[in-house]
Amino acid sequence: MRMLLLGGLAAASLVGVAQAAPSEGAMLVLKAPPAKAELILEGAMWRCTGTVCKAPTVKALPAVRSCRKVVAELGAVSAFTWRGEALDAAGVEECNTAAKP
């Protein structure tokens, strides 16, 4: 009985980890394809395919601040999601305007 209980707890913890993983990453859509297909920025590995770039894990920083840093390296974005938080149109515009190359 004890082994069954421990097995169930282990399985439940794995499901929790699998569900938490997407909220630890980031995704963006660029307005134009980037010059580089890969970029390491603040410890996150960004990989781009066409105009879509993803990083599987990123630091727990404010989304707008992080967006500015990424935009400064890759170019203007039309969409930006950071650790499960998608910027609205005003946030995307602020990000693109405030980014400094």
Side-chain angles (χ1 to χ4, degrees), residues 29-37 48-53 73-76:
V29 179
L30 296 165
K31 290 187 176 181
K36 317 173 211 179
C48 303
T49 304
T51 58
V52 176
C53 301
E73 293 291 326
L74 295 176

Side-chain angles (χ1 to χ4, degrees), residues 15-38:
V15 170
V17 169
Q19 290 175 346
S23 66
E24 294 179 3
M27 190 275 303
L28 60 86
V29 179
L30 296 165
K31 290 187 176 181
K36 317 173 211 179
E38 293 185 349

Side-chain angles (χ1 to χ4, degrees), residues 11-92:
S13 68
L14 289 176
V15 170
V17 169
Q19 290 175 346
S23 66
E24 294 179 3
M27 190 275 303
L28 60 86
V29 179
L30 296 165
K31 290 187 176 181
K36 317 173 211 179
E38 293 185 349
L39 169 73
I40 296 174
L41 185 61
E42 291 193 346
M45 179 63 179
W46 288 87
R47 288 193 171 88
C48 303
T49 304
T51 58
V52 176
C53 301
K54 296 179 182 180
T57 56
V58 292
K59 292 182 179 179
L61 300 170
V64 174
R65 175 179 176 249
S66 302
C67 183
R68 282 186 241 139
K69 288 183 173 240
V70 173
V71 166
E73 293 291 326
L74 295 176
V77 296
S78 57
F80 188 85
T81 302
W82 186 265
R83 297 181 65 87
E85 178 187 346
L87 294 183
D88 61 10
V92 167

Side-chain angles (χ1 to χ4, degrees), residues 1-12:
M1 183 70 173
R2 185 181 292 174
M3 292 302 288
L4 182 60
L5 180 59
L6 290 175
L9 290 174

